[in-house]
Amino acid sequence: MLAALFLATPVSAKKSRIQKSPQDELQLVEQGSYTNKAGAEVHSPAHTKAGNAPTGATARCRDNTYSFSQSRSGTCSRHGGVAEWL
């Protein structure tokens, strides 16, 4: 029965777990998120309007997007790889 409740959780409820302030979101050009292998909702890699690392970024990708990945495996994999760990 617990599994049935977990599967019935709407996606919008899962997305609400991302903890970003409105000001942080305004810094980012791209919006969106993905669910990582651990089941956590993570902001997708994004460019910043000012070009500097946003709050919570863990790496800068080679295409100059900032990643919010919570593990090193696969970080920036669709963005040319990691240019710099933050």
mmCIF file of all heavy atoms in Angstrom, residues 1-44:
data_model
loop_
_atom_site.group_PDB
_atom_site.id
_atom_site.type_symbol
_atom_site.label_atom_id
_atom_site.label_comp_id
_atom_site.label_asym_id
_atom_site.label_seq_id
_atom_site.Cartn_x
_atom_site.Cartn_y
_atom_site.Cartn_z
ATOM 1 N N MET A 1 0.820 -1.193 0.000
ATOM 2 C CA MET A 1 0.000 0.000 0.000
ATOM 3 C C MET A 1 0.867 1.262 0.000
ATOM 4 O O MET A 1 0.544 2.220 -0.668
ATOM 5 C CB MET A 1 -0.925 -0.027 1.194
ATOM 6 C CG MET A 1 -1.861 1.148 1.214
ATOM 7 S SD MET A 1 -3.020 0.944 2.552
ATOM 8 C CE MET A 1 -4.323 1.902 1.954
ATOM 9 N N LEU A 2 1.974 1.249 0.712
ATOM 10 C CA LEU A 2 2.883 2.391 0.736
ATOM 11 C C LEU A 2 3.418 2.677 -0.665
ATOM 12 O O LEU A 2 3.506 3.824 -1.066
ATOM 13 C CB LEU A 2 4.037 2.136 1.708
ATOM 14 C CG LEU A 2 5.040 3.267 1.869
ATOM 15 C CD1 LEU A 2 4.336 4.514 2.389
ATOM 16 C CD2 LEU A 2 6.143 2.869 2.800
ATOM 17 N N ALA A 3 3.746 1.634 -1.414
ATOM 18 C CA ALA A 3 4.238 1.816 -2.780
ATOM 19 C C ALA A 3 3.177 2.489 -3.639
ATOM 20 O O ALA A 3 3.489 3.335 -4.469
ATOM 21 C CB ALA A 3 4.641 0.477 -3.381
ATOM 22 N N ALA A 4 1.928 2.138 -3.450
ATOM 23 C CA ALA A 4 0.850 2.745 -4.217
ATOM 24 C C ALA A 4 0.733 4.230 -3.906
ATOM 25 O O ALA A 4 0.505 5.039 -4.801
ATOM 26 C CB ALA A 4 -0.467 2.041 -3.923
ATOM 27 N N LEU A 5 0.928 4.610 -2.659
ATOM 28 C CA LEU A 5 0.887 6.027 -2.288
ATOM 29 C C LEU A 5 2.047 6.780 -2.910
ATOM 30 O O LEU A 5 1.893 7.902 -3.372
ATOM 31 C CB LEU A 5 0.913 6.185 -0.766
ATOM 32 C CG LEU A 5 -0.336 5.733 -0.026
ATOM 33 C CD1 LEU A 5 -0.112 5.817 1.475
ATOM 34 C CD2 LEU A 5 -1.525 6.578 -0.427
ATOM 35 N N PHE A 6 3.223 6.163 -2.932
ATOM 36 C CA PHE A 6 4.395 6.809 -3.516
ATOM 37 C C PHE A 6 4.193 7.039 -5.012
ATOM 38 O O PHE A 6 4.477 8.096 -5.527
ATOM 39 C CB PHE A 6 5.648 5.957 -3.275
ATOM 40 C CG PHE A 6 6.878 6.542 -3.892
ATOM 41 C CD1 PHE A 6 7.488 7.647 -3.341
ATOM 42 C CD2 PHE A 6 7.414 6.003 -5.051
ATOM 43 C CE1 PHE A 6 8.609 8.199 -3.909
ATOM 44 C CE2 PHE A 6 8.533 6.544 -5.631
ATOM 45 C CZ PHE A 6 9.137 7.645 -5.055
ATOM 46 N N LEU A 7 3.665 6.049 -5.700
ATOM 47 C CA LEU A 7 3.447 6.171 -7.130
ATOM 48 C C LEU A 7 2.369 7.187 -7.463
ATOM 49 O O LEU A 7 2.380 7.768 -8.533
ATOM 50 C CB LEU A 7 3.079 4.809 -7.725
ATOM 51 C CG LEU A 7 4.190 3.764 -7.683
ATOM 52 C CD1 LEU A 7 3.668 2.421 -8.169
ATOM 53 C CD2 LEU A 7 5.382 4.205 -8.510
ATOM 54 N N ALA A 8 1.461 7.425 -6.538
ATOM 55 C CA ALA A 8 0.367 8.361 -6.787
ATOM 56 C C ALA A 8 0.755 9.806 -6.504
ATOM 57 O O ALA A 8 -0.023 10.704 -6.748
ATOM 58 C CB ALA A 8 -0.836 7.979 -5.935
ATOM 59 N N THR A 9 1.969 10.041 -5.994
ATOM 60 C CA THR A 9 2.396 11.402 -5.692
ATOM 61 C C THR A 9 2.518 12.196 -6.986
ATOM 62 O O THR A 9 3.238 11.796 -7.884
ATOM 63 C CB THR A 9 3.766 11.403 -4.970
ATOM 64 O OG1 THR A 9 3.644 10.608 -3.798
ATOM 65 C CG2 THR A 9 4.189 12.812 -4.606
ATOM 66 N N PRO A 10 1.816 13.301 -7.128
ATOM 67 C CA PRO A 10 1.893 14.081 -8.363
ATOM 68 C C PRO A 10 3.279 14.685 -8.559
ATOM 69 O O PRO A 10 3.976 15.018 -7.601
ATOM 70 C CB PRO A 10 0.845 15.172 -8.170
ATOM 71 C CG PRO A 10 0.505 15.185 -6.734
ATOM 72 C CD PRO A 10 0.910 13.870 -6.155
ATOM 73 N N VAL A 11 3.678 14.825 -9.819
ATOM 74 C CA VAL A 11 4.987 15.388 -10.151
ATOM 75 C C VAL A 11 5.138 16.783 -9.582
ATOM 76 O O VAL A 11 6.188 17.153 -9.095
ATOM 77 C CB VAL A 11 5.190 15.404 -11.688
ATOM 78 C CG1 VAL A 11 6.461 16.118 -12.053
ATOM 79 C CG2 VAL A 11 5.204 13.983 -12.229
ATOM 80 N N SER A 12 4.074 17.578 -9.595
ATOM 81 C CA SER A 12 4.158 18.950 -9.077
ATOM 82 C C SER A 12 4.537 18.959 -7.601
ATOM 83 O O SER A 12 5.248 19.847 -7.146
ATOM 84 C CB SER A 12 2.844 19.690 -9.290
ATOM 85 O OG SER A 12 1.792 19.014 -8.618
ATOM 86 N N ALA A 13 4.117 17.957 -6.842
ATOM 87 C CA ALA A 13 4.485 17.883 -5.427
ATOM 88 C C ALA A 13 5.969 17.585 -5.282
ATOM 89 O O ALA A 13 6.638 18.121 -4.414
ATOM 90 C CB ALA A 13 3.667 16.810 -4.717
ATOM 91 N N LYS A 14 6.508 16.742 -6.154
ATOM 92 C CA LYS A 14 7.934 16.427 -6.111
ATOM 93 C C LYS A 14 8.765 17.650 -6.476
ATOM 94 O O LYS A 14 9.773 17.924 -5.876
ATOM 95 C CB LYS A 14 8.250 15.283 -7.068
ATOM 96 C CG LYS A 14 7.703 13.957 -6.618
ATOM 97 C CD LYS A 14 8.071 12.880 -7.615
ATOM 98 C CE LYS A 14 7.481 11.552 -7.217
ATOM 99 N NZ LYS A 14 7.807 10.506 -8.178
ATOM 100 N N LYS A 15 8.341 18.409 -7.470
ATOM 101 C CA LYS A 15 9.099 19.569 -7.903
ATOM 102 C C LYS A 15 9.164 20.647 -6.837
ATOM 103 O O LYS A 15 10.080 21.436 -6.816
ATOM 104 C CB LYS A 15 8.521 20.133 -9.194
ATOM 105 C CG LYS A 15 8.803 19.232 -10.364
ATOM 106 C CD LYS A 15 8.430 19.871 -11.649
ATOM 107 C CE LYS A 15 8.771 18.919 -12.780
ATOM 108 N NZ LYS A 15 8.843 19.532 -14.042
ATOM 109 N N SER A 16 8.203 20.665 -5.937
ATOM 110 C CA SER A 16 8.190 21.693 -4.904
ATOM 111 C C SER A 16 9.324 21.502 -3.896
ATOM 112 O O SER A 16 9.580 22.372 -3.096
ATOM 113 C CB SER A 16 6.845 21.715 -4.183
ATOM 114 O OG SER A 16 6.672 20.518 -3.455
ATOM 115 N N ARG A 17 10.040 20.360 -3.958
ATOM 116 C CA ARG A 17 11.138 20.119 -3.026
ATOM 117 C C ARG A 17 12.390 20.913 -3.376
ATOM 118 O O ARG A 17 13.300 21.009 -2.590
ATOM 119 C CB ARG A 17 11.477 18.626 -3.003
ATOM 120 C CG ARG A 17 10.421 17.821 -2.286
ATOM 121 C CD ARG A 17 10.860 16.415 -2.144
ATOM 122 N NE ARG A 17 10.565 15.711 -3.379
ATOM 123 C CZ ARG A 17 11.069 14.547 -3.727
ATOM 124 N NH1 ARG A 17 11.917 13.947 -2.947
ATOM 125 N NH2 ARG A 17 10.734 13.971 -4.850
ATOM 126 N N ILE A 18 12.475 21.488 -4.578
ATOM 127 C CA ILE A 18 13.644 22.269 -4.945
ATOM 128 C C ILE A 18 13.624 23.552 -4.134
ATOM 129 O O ILE A 18 12.665 24.308 -4.170
ATOM 130 C CB ILE A 18 13.651 22.617 -6.447
ATOM 131 C CG1 ILE A 18 13.688 21.334 -7.261
ATOM 132 C CG2 ILE A 18 14.828 23.499 -6.784
ATOM 133 C CD1 ILE A 18 13.553 21.574 -8.731
ATOM 134 N N GLN A 19 14.670 23.794 -3.395
ATOM 135 C CA GLN A 19 14.729 24.965 -2.528
ATOM 136 C C GLN A 19 15.557 26.063 -3.194
ATOM 137 O O GLN A 19 16.760 26.115 -3.060
ATOM 138 C CB GLN A 19 15.331 24.590 -1.170
ATOM 139 C CG GLN A 19 14.518 23.568 -0.406
ATOM 140 C CD GLN A 19 13.123 24.061 -0.083
ATOM 141 O OE1 GLN A 19 12.949 25.184 0.353
ATOM 142 N NE2 GLN A 19 12.136 23.230 -0.297
ATOM 143 N N LYS A 20 14.933 26.920 -3.939
ATOM 144 C CA LYS A 20 15.572 28.059 -4.588
ATOM 145 C C LYS A 20 14.791 29.306 -4.223
ATOM 146 O O LYS A 20 13.572 29.289 -4.183
ATOM 147 C CB LYS A 20 15.553 27.905 -6.107
ATOM 148 C CG LYS A 20 16.414 26.802 -6.628
ATOM 149 C CD LYS A 20 17.799 27.309 -6.771
ATOM 150 C CE LYS A 20 18.689 26.243 -7.346
ATOM 151 N NZ LYS A 20 20.051 26.489 -7.077
ATOM 152 N N SER A 21 15.502 30.378 -3.982
ATOM 153 C CA SER A 21 14.807 31.627 -3.712
ATOM 154 C C SER A 21 14.419 32.273 -5.037
ATOM 155 O O SER A 21 15.044 32.012 -6.063
ATOM 156 C CB SER A 21 15.711 32.573 -2.917
ATOM 157 O OG SER A 21 16.740 33.072 -3.751
ATOM 158 N N PRO A 22 13.408 33.128 -5.054
ATOM 159 C CA PRO A 22 13.021 33.815 -6.292
ATOM 160 C C PRO A 22 14.182 34.592 -6.902
ATOM 161 O O PRO A 22 14.321 34.632 -8.105
ATOM 162 C CB PRO A 22 11.894 34.747 -5.843
ATOM 163 C CG PRO A 22 11.329 34.097 -4.625
ATOM 164 C CD PRO A 22 12.503 33.431 -3.954
ATOM 165 N N GLN A 23 15.040 35.164 -6.071
ATOM 166 C CA GLN A 23 16.180 35.913 -6.587
ATOM 167 C C GLN A 23 17.144 34.986 -7.317
ATOM 168 O O GLN A 23 17.659 35.332 -8.375
ATOM 169 C CB GLN A 23 16.913 36.636 -5.455
ATOM 170 C CG GLN A 23 18.041 37.517 -5.967
ATOM 171 C CD GLN A 23 18.659 38.336 -4.871
ATOM 172 O OE1 GLN A 23 18.241 38.285 -3.736
ATOM 173 N NE2 GLN A 23 19.668 39.091 -5.194
ATOM 174 N N ASP A 24 17.388 33.781 -6.781
ATOM 175 C CA ASP A 24 18.247 32.812 -7.456
ATOM 176 C C ASP A 24 17.655 32.434 -8.809
ATOM 177 O O ASP A 24 18.371 32.339 -9.796
ATOM 178 C CB ASP A 24 18.418 31.546 -6.611
ATOM 179 C CG ASP A 24 19.292 31.762 -5.392
ATOM 180 O OD1 ASP A 24 20.083 32.721 -5.379
ATOM 181 O OD2 ASP A 24 19.172 30.957 -4.452
ATOM 182 N N GLU A 25 16.357 32.213 -8.861
ATOM 183 C CA GLU A 25 15.708 31.834 -10.112
ATOM 184 C C GLU A 25 15.818 32.946 -11.147
ATOM 185 O O GLU A 25 15.961 32.680 -12.330
ATOM 186 C CB GLU A 25 14.238 31.477 -9.874
ATOM 187 C CG GLU A 25 14.033 30.190 -9.120
ATOM 188 C CD GLU A 25 14.503 28.950 -9.878
ATOM 189 O OE1 GLU A 25 14.283 28.869 -11.102
ATOM 190 O OE2 GLU A 25 15.088 28.080 -9.238
ATOM 191 N N LEU A 26 15.793 34.203 -10.715
ATOM 192 C CA LEU A 26 15.912 35.322 -11.648
ATOM 193 C C LEU A 26 17.309 35.409 -12.243
ATOM 194 O O LEU A 26 17.476 35.944 -13.328
ATOM 195 C CB LEU A 26 15.544 36.633 -10.947
ATOM 196 C CG LEU A 26 14.076 36.783 -10.546
ATOM 197 C CD1 LEU A 26 13.872 38.060 -9.738
ATOM 198 C CD2 LEU A 26 13.176 36.754 -11.765
ATOM 199 N N GLN A 27 18.322 34.877 -11.552
ATOM 200 C CA GLN A 27 19.693 34.872 -12.065
ATOM 201 C C GLN A 27 19.862 33.909 -13.229
ATOM 202 O O GLN A 27 20.743 34.073 -14.047
ATOM 203 C CB GLN A 27 20.673 34.413 -10.986
ATOM 204 C CG GLN A 27 20.899 35.320 -9.835
ATOM 205 C CD GLN A 27 21.920 34.691 -8.910
ATOM 206 O OE1 GLN A 27 22.961 34.224 -9.346
ATOM 207 N NE2 GLN A 27 21.608 34.642 -7.631
ATOM 208 N N LEU A 28 19.032 32.861 -13.276
ATOM 209 C CA LEU A 28 19.207 31.780 -14.232
ATOM 210 C C LEU A 28 18.440 32.036 -15.521
ATOM 211 O O LEU A 28 17.281 32.433 -15.495
ATOM 212 C CB LEU A 28 18.746 30.464 -13.611
ATOM 213 C CG LEU A 28 19.452 30.089 -12.303
ATOM 214 C CD1 LEU A 28 18.832 28.834 -11.712
ATOM 215 C CD2 LEU A 28 20.939 29.899 -12.529
ATOM 216 N N VAL A 29 19.101 31.789 -16.652
ATOM 217 C CA VAL A 29 18.464 31.972 -17.948
ATOM 218 C C VAL A 29 17.488 30.830 -18.216
ATOM 219 O O VAL A 29 16.346 31.058 -18.591
ATOM 220 C CB VAL A 29 19.524 32.062 -19.069
ATOM 221 C CG1 VAL A 29 18.872 32.136 -20.443
ATOM 222 C CG2 VAL A 29 20.440 33.256 -18.829
ATOM 223 N N GLU A 30 17.931 29.585 -18.017
ATOM 224 C CA GLU A 30 17.076 28.427 -18.250
ATOM 225 C C GLU A 30 16.447 27.970 -16.940
ATOM 226 O O GLU A 30 17.055 28.048 -15.893
ATOM 227 C CB GLU A 30 17.886 27.251 -18.834
ATOM 228 C CG GLU A 30 18.497 27.523 -20.186
ATOM 229 C CD GLU A 30 19.887 28.160 -20.105
ATOM 230 O OE1 GLU A 30 20.421 28.352 -19.000
ATOM 231 O OE2 GLU A 30 20.426 28.472 -21.168
ATOM 232 N N GLN A 31 15.231 27.484 -17.038
ATOM 233 C CA GLN A 31 14.526 26.930 -15.885
ATOM 234 C C GLN A 31 14.280 25.451 -16.153
ATOM 235 O O GLN A 31 14.343 25.008 -17.287
ATOM 236 C CB GLN A 31 13.202 27.653 -15.657
ATOM 237 C CG GLN A 31 13.338 29.146 -15.431
ATOM 238 C CD GLN A 31 14.167 29.481 -14.202
ATOM 239 O OE1 GLN A 31 14.040 28.835 -13.181
ATOM 240 N NE2 GLN A 31 15.014 30.473 -14.310
ATOM 241 N N GLY A 32 14.003 24.705 -15.134
ATOM 242 C CA GLY A 32 13.704 23.292 -15.306
ATOM 243 C C GLY A 32 14.440 22.463 -14.276
ATOM 244 O O GLY A 32 15.325 22.965 -13.569
ATOM 245 N N SER A 33 14.068 21.203 -14.193
ATOM 246 C CA SER A 33 14.684 20.319 -13.221
ATOM 247 C C SER A 33 14.629 18.883 -13.711
ATOM 248 O O SER A 33 13.957 18.580 -14.700
ATOM 249 C CB SER A 33 13.977 20.443 -11.875
ATOM 250 O OG SER A 33 12.623 20.045 -12.005
ATOM 251 N N TYR A 34 15.333 18.023 -13.023
ATOM 252 C CA TYR A 34 15.306 16.593 -13.310
ATOM 253 C C TYR A 34 15.393 15.845 -11.995
ATOM 254 O O TYR A 34 15.759 16.410 -10.971
ATOM 255 C CB TYR A 34 16.455 16.189 -14.247
ATOM 256 C CG TYR A 34 17.837 16.374 -13.644
ATOM 257 C CD1 TYR A 34 18.485 15.312 -13.013
ATOM 258 C CD2 TYR A 34 18.504 17.589 -13.699
ATOM 259 C CE1 TYR A 34 19.743 15.481 -12.455
ATOM 260 C CE2 TYR A 34 19.758 17.759 -13.157
ATOM 261 C CZ TYR A 34 20.376 16.699 -12.539
ATOM 262 O OH TYR A 34 21.624 16.857 -11.987
ATOM 263 N N THR A 35 15.043 14.571 -12.023
ATOM 264 C CA THR A 35 15.153 13.720 -10.847
ATOM 265 C C THR A 35 16.435 12.913 -10.983
ATOM 266 O O THR A 35 16.615 12.205 -11.974
ATOM 267 C CB THR A 35 13.941 12.776 -10.736
ATOM 268 O OG1 THR A 35 12.755 13.580 -10.687
ATOM 269 C CG2 THR A 35 14.021 11.920 -9.485
ATOM 270 N N ASN A 36 17.340 13.045 -10.011
ATOM 271 C CA ASN A 36 18.607 12.319 -10.096
ATOM 272 C C ASN A 36 18.419 10.861 -9.676
ATOM 273 O O ASN A 36 17.325 10.439 -9.303
ATOM 274 C CB ASN A 36 19.708 13.026 -9.289
ATOM 275 C CG ASN A 36 19.492 12.990 -7.796
ATOM 276 O OD1 ASN A 36 18.635 12.289 -7.276
ATOM 277 N ND2 ASN A 36 20.278 13.771 -7.081
ATOM 278 N N LYS A 37 19.500 10.076 -9.763
ATOM 279 C CA LYS A 37 19.428 8.642 -9.452
ATOM 280 C C LYS A 37 18.992 8.372 -8.018
ATOM 281 O O LYS A 37 18.418 7.341 -7.720
ATOM 282 C CB LYS A 37 20.772 7.972 -9.709
ATOM 283 C CG LYS A 37 21.107 7.856 -11.166
ATOM 284 C CD LYS A 37 22.437 7.155 -11.356
ATOM 285 C CE LYS A 37 22.783 7.082 -12.820
ATOM 286 N NZ LYS A 37 24.069 6.403 -13.039
ATOM 287 N N ALA A 38 19.261 9.301 -7.115
ATOM 288 C CA ALA A 38 18.877 9.147 -5.710
ATOM 289 C C ALA A 38 17.413 9.529 -5.475
ATOM 290 O O ALA A 38 16.914 9.415 -4.368
ATOM 291 C CB ALA A 38 19.783 9.989 -4.821
ATOM 292 N N GLY A 39 16.745 10.020 -6.518
ATOM 293 C CA GLY A 39 15.345 10.399 -6.399
ATOM 294 C C GLY A 39 15.114 11.837 -5.985
ATOM 295 O O GLY A 39 13.990 12.244 -5.739
ATOM 296 N N ALA A 40 16.180 12.622 -5.907
ATOM 297 C CA ALA A 40 16.050 14.029 -5.519
ATOM 298 C C ALA A 40 15.815 14.897 -6.753
ATOM 299 O O ALA A 40 16.370 14.640 -7.822
ATOM 300 C CB ALA A 40 17.305 14.494 -4.793
ATOM 301 N N GLU A 41 15.020 15.915 -6.614
ATOM 302 C CA GLU A 41 14.763 16.868 -7.682
ATOM 303 C C GLU A 41 15.890 17.898 -7.694
ATOM 304 O O GLU A 41 16.199 18.503 -6.663
ATOM 305 C CB GLU A 41 13.422 17.550 -7.432
ATOM 306 C CG GLU A 41 12.831 18.196 -8.635
ATOM 307 C CD GLU A 41 12.283 17.199 -9.650
ATOM 308 O OE1 GLU A 41 11.995 16.051 -9.288
ATOM 309 O OE2 GLU A 41 12.146 17.585 -10.817
ATOM 310 N N VAL A 42 16.534 18.086 -8.853
ATOM 311 C CA VAL A 42 17.700 18.950 -8.979
ATOM 312 C C VAL A 42 17.467 19.919 -10.143
ATOM 313 O O VAL A 42 16.939 19.525 -11.186
ATOM 314 C CB VAL A 42 18.975 18.108 -9.265
ATOM 315 C CG1 VAL A 42 20.198 18.987 -9.406
ATOM 316 C CG2 VAL A 42 19.188 17.077 -8.169
ATOM 317 N N HIS A 43 17.870 21.171 -9.966
ATOM 318 C CA HIS A 43 17.745 22.150 -11.047
ATOM 319 C C HIS A 43 18.634 21.714 -12.204
ATOM 320 O O HIS A 43 19.760 21.279 -12.004
ATOM 321 C CB HIS A 43 18.176 23.544 -10.556
ATOM 322 C CG HIS A 43 17.679 24.641 -11.441
ATOM 323 N ND1 HIS A 43 18.157 24.856 -12.703
ATOM 324 C CD2 HIS A 43 16.721 25.571 -11.240
ATOM 325 C CE1 HIS A 43 17.530 25.886 -13.236
ATOM 326 N NE2 HIS A 43 16.646 26.333 -12.362
ATOM 327 N N SER A 44 18.142 21.824 -13.412
ATOM 328 C CA SER A 44 18.924 21.494 -14.606
ATOM 329 C C SER A 44 20.044 22.506 -14.789
ATOM 330 O O SER A 44 19.933 23.658 -14.345
ATOM 331 C CB SER A 44 18.023 21.522 -15.837
ATOM 332 O OG SER A 44 17.004 20.566 -15.725
#
